[in-house]
Amino acid sequence: MRSITVPPTAGLPLQLGDLWPFGAGNFAQQLATWLGIEAVQLECSGTSALMVALRSLKSLKPGRSEIIAPAYTCPLVALAIAQCGLQLRLCDLRADALDMDPACLQRLCCEQTLAVLPTHLCGRVADVDTALHCARAVGAYVIEDAAQALGARNDGESLGLKGDLGFFSLAVGKGLSTFEGGVLIAREPAMRAALSATGEGVRFSPWWELRRSVELLGYAMLYQPSGLRMAYGKPLEQALSRGDWVEAAGDDFDDSIPQHRLGCWRQRVGAKALPRLAAFQQQTDEQARARVAQLQACGLEVVQDIAPHAQGVWPVILLRMPSQQARDTVLRAHWADGSGLSLPFVHVLPDYGRYDHVLASARHDDVSQARDWAQRLLAISNSPWLDDARFAKLLSVLEGALQQG
């Protein structure tokens, strides 16, 4: 099992020709065409894109200061909200879906609410309609967090267009990657103008661009089964040997979020890789659907899109295990063996401890349903490098865990 290391998510591998610094065209225009929208705005990361969005909305409604987000989401969301001088409000999840609980969301929405942040977690399409209903009732905006869902669609349109605006991440493992990168979209021209005006204040940083360019080169060389052993497998083993699941899951972040412009060379790399993305996502979609059927046939609960016209993407296949004990038993035995198992996030936001300083003012109802999700979720990589033979072995392990409860 240790001959190769499967990445935790299905990222699009780069090719040597992608790194050639000439002849790529305009990445923003090409990406907008690929998404079927008028325009996109490029930022240096998904988190930076969120911060540009938050500051834009704050300028439009300066009297409001609260952002409502799911209690189970990336800690970077909390850090971004704090860095923008806003207050986070945590919403519990539904018991039956990875969506904000409607009753809890309605209670949290008030005259201080600036925006509600439905999250398309791990490529699954979230319930934006409920967020819109609750936000509109108090005059607030909706930001679609589609960081992990570039290419997913709802009612035939790209995610990010039901709400007032949306953002995607171009980080490693999220489909198309410029190592770090962010994409902002909005349906209304006035909102796009507000985002553009805020984005103009973000300066180019030669130091950050050099660092990200070197990291992108490393990604191009090492994002393949044998290279991942060194780049991902070894650090994962070390974190797990210390019992640090937060570090192992990549949930340990610095307080300060860098903001700078996305450099021209990395944009060219993205533009050259983009034409392969649709075929890659079709391949991973077909693989996921076949494997979801196998998992369900064994009695395992797979998280899927519940909206009738939703078409998510599949960087991972999410399972909700019957108990935390069953989930943790599988992880302790197989997280470090290269099988492609991981966690979306380790905890609900209040349970990390290390982020208490940015959550001190976070008002929230009981988040026990979100905590239950956090304790039972398990992610299986949907990378094509997790071949049928290795998946069959993993399926056997999961069947055994299910029988033990």
Side-chain angles (χ1 to χ4, degrees):
M1 293 282 286
R2 287 183 175 272
S3 57
I4 68 169
T5 296
V6 175
T9 60
L12 177 69
L14 294 177
Q15 298 178 354
L16 184 60
D18 298 335
L19 307 179
W20 183 248
F22 305 107
N26 187 300
F27 182 38
Q29 289 179 0
Q30 292 173 16
L31 190 53
T33 300
W34 190 84
L35 289 169
I37 58 180
E38 290 188 25
V40 306
Q41 181 170 318
L42 299 175
E43 300 296 336
C44 69
S45 68
T47 312
S48 180
L50 172 59
M51 292 171 65
V52 170
L54 292 172
R55 287 172 176 149
S56 299
L57 298 185
K58 189 177 179 181
S59 70
L60 295 173
K61 294 192 175 182
R64 296 178 177 238
S65 61
E66 296 183 359
I67 307 297
I68 302 174
Y72 185 62
T73 192
C74 181
L76 282 170
V77 171
L79 295 172
I81 291 168
Q83 194 164 320
C84 290
L86 298 167
Q87 286 76 52
L88 174 63
R89 302 294 178 245
L90 299 178
C91 187
D92 202 7
L93 298 184
R94 288 171 47 174
D96 61 342
L98 275 175
D99 287 308
M100 287 184 282
D101 179 76
C104 182
L105 179 57
Q106 191 169 26
R107 286 193 298 270
L108 289 170
C109 285
C110 65
E111 66 280 358
Q112 285 300 308
T113 304
L114 177 61
V116 177
L117 199 66
T119 302
H120 304 286
L121 184 67
C122 294
R124 306 280 46 85
V125 178
D127 175 12
V128 181
D129 290 331
T130 298
L132 280 168
H133 174 77
C134 294
R136 294 292 185 260
V138 296
Y141 296 103
V142 169
I143 304 172
E144 293 186 51
D145 179 350
Q148 302 170 345
L150 179 69
R153 308 184 78 79
N154 198 358
D155 291 328
E157 292 186 323
S158 169
L159 300 186
L161 297 178
K162 267 197 171 185
D164 296 287
L165 62 150
F167 68 95
F168 305 99
S169 172
L170 302 178
V172 294
K174 293 178 180 170
L176 183 68
S177 180
T178 53
F179 193 85
E180 285 286 355
V183 182
L184 271 169
I185 68 171
R187 182 189 298 276
E188 298 300 328
M191 182 60 70
R192 293 200 297 271
L195 295 172
S196 178
T198 304
E200 287 175 0
V202 177
R203 298 177 178 272
F204 180 77
S205 168
W207 185 89
W208 271 110
E209 189 55 31
L210 176 61
R211 173 176 169 172
R212 295 304 189 213
S213 296
V214 171
E215 288 169 332
L216 181 58
L217 282 170
Y219 173 70
M221 291 185 294
L222 296 176
Y223 194 77
Q224 39 87 15
S226 58
L228 280 164
R229 171 74 178 145
M230 177 176 66
Y232 170 70
K234 280 300 223 180
L236 173 63
E237 287 179 12
Q238 292 167 2
L240 292 174
S241 70
R242 297 190 296 271
D244 191 342
W245 282 28
V246 172
E247 182 182 348
D251 288 357
D252 51 331
F253 300 106
D254 295 332
D255 283 5
S256 181
I257 299 165
Q259 287 194 279
H260 53 92
R261 292 192 178 276
L262 184 65
C264 293
W265 176 69
R266 288 196 293 139
Q267 290 188 43
R268 293 190 185 104
V269 172
K272 290 181 178 180
L274 179 60
R276 303 194 304 276
L277 183 59
F280 179 76
Q281 290 189 333
Q282 178 65 29
Q283 177 187 8
T284 54
D285 180 83
E286 292 172 357
Q287 176 173 277
R289 294 186 186 281
R291 292 181 175 178
V292 165
Q294 291 179 267
L295 292 160
Q296 289 178 323
C298 296
L300 290 154
E301 181 184 354
V302 182
V303 180
Q304 300 193 72
D305 301 323
I306 59 174
H309 303 293
Q311 185 180 358
V313 291
W314 294 92
V316 298
I317 299 171
L318 281 180
L319 299 180
R320 181 157 63 164
M321 299 296 286
S323 67
Q324 181 179 8
Q325 180 180 356
R327 194 277 306 268
D328 290 356
T329 298
V330 172
L331 279 176
R332 289 191 181 99
H334 298 283
W335 195 351
D337 68 7
S339 298
L341 293 178
S342 66
L343 295 174
F345 310 111
V346 177
H347 302 299
V348 290
L349 290 177
D351 291 353
Y352 279 95
R354 67 180 68 192
Y355 302 116
D356 284 352
H357 59 292
V358 297
L359 295 170
S361 64
R363 176 169 58 85
H364 57 84
D365 287 1
D366 173 55
V367 296
S368 58
Q369 292 176 165
R371 184 172 289 111
D372 181 71
W373 277 99
Q375 292 170 346
R376 293 166 58 194
L377 274 179
L378 178 66
I380 304 173
S381 175
N382 195 35
S383 169
W385 294 327
L386 181 61
D387 60 27
D388 290 342
R390 290 169 67 86
F391 180 76
K393 293 179 181 178
L394 192 54
L395 189 61
S396 177
V397 168
L398 293 168
E399 281 187 279
L402 185 62
Q403 292 168 2
Q404 295 172 11

